[in-house]
Amino acid sequence: MPEIAVNNLFKSYGAINALRDISFQVDKAEIFGIIGPDGAGKTSLFRILVSLLLPDKGSIQLAGLDVVKDYSQVRKIVGYMPGRFSLYQDLSVEENLSFFATVFGSSIETNYDLIKDIYVQIEPFKKRLAGRLSGGMKQKLALCCALIHRPEVLVLDEPTTGVDAVSRVEFWDLLHKIKKEGITIIVSTPYMDEAARCDRVALMQNGEFLGISLPGDIHKAFTKILYELTPEQGAYKLLKTMRSEAWCENAWLFGQSVHLTINGNTSENQFLSYAKGQNIEFRKITAGIEDTFMELMKTS
Amino acid sequence: MENPENIIVVNNLVKRYGDFTANDNLCFEVRKGEIFGFLGANGAGKTTAIRILCGLSYPTSGELNVAGFDVYTQRELIKRNIGYMSQKFSLYDDLTIAENIRFYAGIYGLSQKVIKSRTNQLLERLGMEEIRNRLIRDVPLGWKQKLAFSVAVFHNPAVVFLDEPTGGVDPVTRRQFWEMINEAAEEGITVFVTTHYMDEAEYCDRVSIMVDGKIAALDTPQNLKKSYNTNDMNGVFLTLARGD
């Protein structure tokens, strides 16, 4: 039996359809990532998962419990880290942690082994008020507070947003340690590069899943030939030139290169001879997650 | 300013809060018309430096000149000649698109006539004419961010400061946003930008990386990648910010 089972979930706010027929399953001790921009519906989905919001239609089981009917039991087995920093800014690090442990009828000592690796990093600041921690530290404390009652399912809403690249790497290292404890993790992020750290990923946009796959398989949804053009300098100029060509289907900046697809009326050879004539350095590449996401956004 | 090609000159900037040194002797220049990436880990001291450069806070010591004005004695002139956009707050939710533009343009002292004609041009360019009277709270995030940027450069500032402008938006909008940045730079506006997306660091002409209050590296993305022997800016950043 899957640890999380979501079936045909719908949620709307007035005319806005936040969730449109979402279905998926997550196995025990899996890290399931939901990747999508702000407004995709990630937070609505998570709030429903942790029983803080009612769906319009559809069902959700967490560890065999119905999220709507059995909400009070669900809340005992779920650890939730909301997108906005929601700890008490005027309590210290230690006081926050102790508060969350007590609310769940536990204590810091009981489950200390679970948070130890994370907590030792913030312990030097345990007397500091939570409101005065840096971004990365706040996220680590919030993770400790979500874990201190040893939940079976951990729901993390954009835990790395606004966090620098170093702290993001560290944060994902921690999630993999938690997974080893048998805890199921569902996590959302707007950073596409974090897909690689998940066991499976759902790409989400406008209340729908564009697809669910293993991180290594995402590129398979990109079926066209993708060229990477690498000018000596001036990628933006090259981008504009490419877009002005009739055979250009899509061209986007990727760092100092341009990623390009040609339209169906143009043969590969036509493009190759053009690129040679213009002395443009290029190669064929496998699509990355952003290429794929942009392609799926267009067709959805 | 000694070199007219420099729009921002920072010499020995120090900012202390009690016994904590947030900016530890920063020295750098930003050239007119360039896209300058200002990177660093959380807590490295970026926001402190930006607030000083924008004339919102005094340095403890050092010489700083922004758009030809001194940060100690000419702060009001600095504010009039720069634009600023932050991720967290940029437009008023309970005003319409057109009202937000009028409000900001009015603050910068543009005449009603200029505001009217430039607003029409801007809304046409952004494709937002039909929703000009929609409240900002009902506008999707990606559009809001493009609008916020346009508002920040509406008065043709010499420099625009962008503090994590692309957080949370989809990859298409993020790229469209950077195309707007490139256009502004081509029109001669200097862009000073912070971001946590390391691929965006590659769009900058030059990048500085702050670690613990100091500038640990400053160069073009190509040279930084070469010096630190990595394929991308993420590698450069992780090496420097982790100190490994």
Side-chain angles (χ1 to χ4, degrees), chain A residues 37-38 136 162-166 168-169 190-192 236 239-240 243 252-256 290 293-294 297, chain B residues 41-42 141 168-172 174-175 179 182-183 186 196-197 199 202-203 221-222 225 234 237-238 241-242:
Chain A
D38 286 2
V163 174
D164 67 66
V166 173
R168 290 206 282 134
V169 171
Y191 294 102
M192 307 249 153
Y236 180 59
L239 175 81
K240 286 199 286 189
R243 283 192 184 156
W252 293 110
L253 278 181
F254 273 78
Q256 287 160 346
E290 292 213 340
F293 195 94
M294 292 196 281
M297 267 174 77
Chain B
N42 301 118
L141 178 76
V169 302
D170 67 73
V172 169
R174 211 149 67 77
R175 284 179 175 75
E179 287 168 24
N182 271 299
E183 263 165 52
E186 280 186 354
H196 286 312
Y197 289 97
D199 62 324
E202 314 240 0
Y203 301 146
Q222 291 98 317
K225 285 187 280 185
N234 198 40
F237 188 84
L238 291 182
R242 262 181 178 167

Side-chain angles (χ1 to χ4, degrees), chain B residues 41-204:
Chain B
N42 301 118
K46 299 188 301 278
T47 305
T48 303
I50 290 176
R51 287 179 54 81
I52 293 169
L53 290 172
C54 291
L56 297 172
S57 147
Y58 284 114
T60 306
S61 63
E63 285 170 40
L64 291 92
N65 193 294
V66 176
F69 304 107
D70 182 79
V71 300
Y72 295 94
T73 58
Q74 298 175 301
R75 302 210 304 183
E76 286 315 307
L77 286 167
I78 288 178
K79 287 177 199 166
R80 250 177 256 177
N81 284 279
I82 62 168
Y84 177 77
M85 172 188 168
S86 82
Q87 188 203 340
K88 282 181 196 136
F89 176 82
S90 38
L91 300 169
Y92 290 92
D93 265 345
D94 50 355
L95 294 182
T96 66
I97 289 177
E99 285 167 346
N100 266 287
I101 298 173
R102 205 174 84 209
F103 174 76
Y104 280 100
I107 282 185
Y108 285 110
L110 300 185
S111 73
Q112 285 303 330
K113 213 172 129 194
V114 171
I115 293 175
K116 209 173 161 190
S117 72
R118 268 201 227 165
T119 300
N120 290 336
Q121 280 170 19
L122 172 64
L123 292 176
E124 193 188 318
R125 191 147 41 99
L126 293 173
M128 294 187 192
E129 295 138 301
E130 292 193 356
I131 56 164
R132 61 184 297 149
N133 295 322
R134 192 182 286 185
L135 291 180
I136 285 296
R137 78 161 74 95
D138 298 328
V139 174
L141 178 76
W143 295 21
K144 249 195 287 201
Q145 282 178 317
K146 285 182 216 165
L147 186 66
F149 176 74
S150 305
V151 166
V153 297
F154 197 79
H155 59 295
N156 279 325
V159 193
V160 63
F161 290 88
L162 309 173
D163 198 358
E164 290 179 39
T166 56
V169 302
D170 67 73
V172 169
T173 307
R174 211 149 67 77
R175 284 179 175 75
Q176 288 170 340
F177 192 90
W178 272 92
E179 287 168 24
M180 291 178 75
I181 290 179
N182 271 299
E183 263 165 52
E186 280 186 354
E187 285 163 21
I189 296 176
T190 306
V191 179
F192 189 99
V193 58
T194 74
T195 179
H196 286 312
Y197 289 97
M198 287 305 125
D199 62 324
E200 294 186 348
E202 314 240 0
Y203 301 146
C204 300

Side-chain angles (χ1 to χ4, degrees), chain A residues 194-245:
Chain A
E194 293 181 355
R197 307 290 311 262
C198 304
D199 294 323
R200 280 188 308 145
V201 208
L203 301 184
M204 191 172 191
Q205 166 88 353
N206 291 332
E208 290 175 307
F209 280 0
L210 304 174
I212 300 175
S213 75
L214 302 172
D217 288 342
I218 293 172
H219 67 91
K220 287 182 183 164
F222 194 99
T223 51
K224 294 173 182 148
I225 299 172
L226 183 65
Y227 296 100
E228 180 188 61
L229 281 47
T230 44
E232 275 295 314
Q233 51 185 346
Y236 180 59
K237 271 209 184 84
L238 179 66
L239 175 81
K240 286 199 286 189
T241 312
M242 291 300 105
R243 283 192 184 156
S244 68
E245 298 292 346

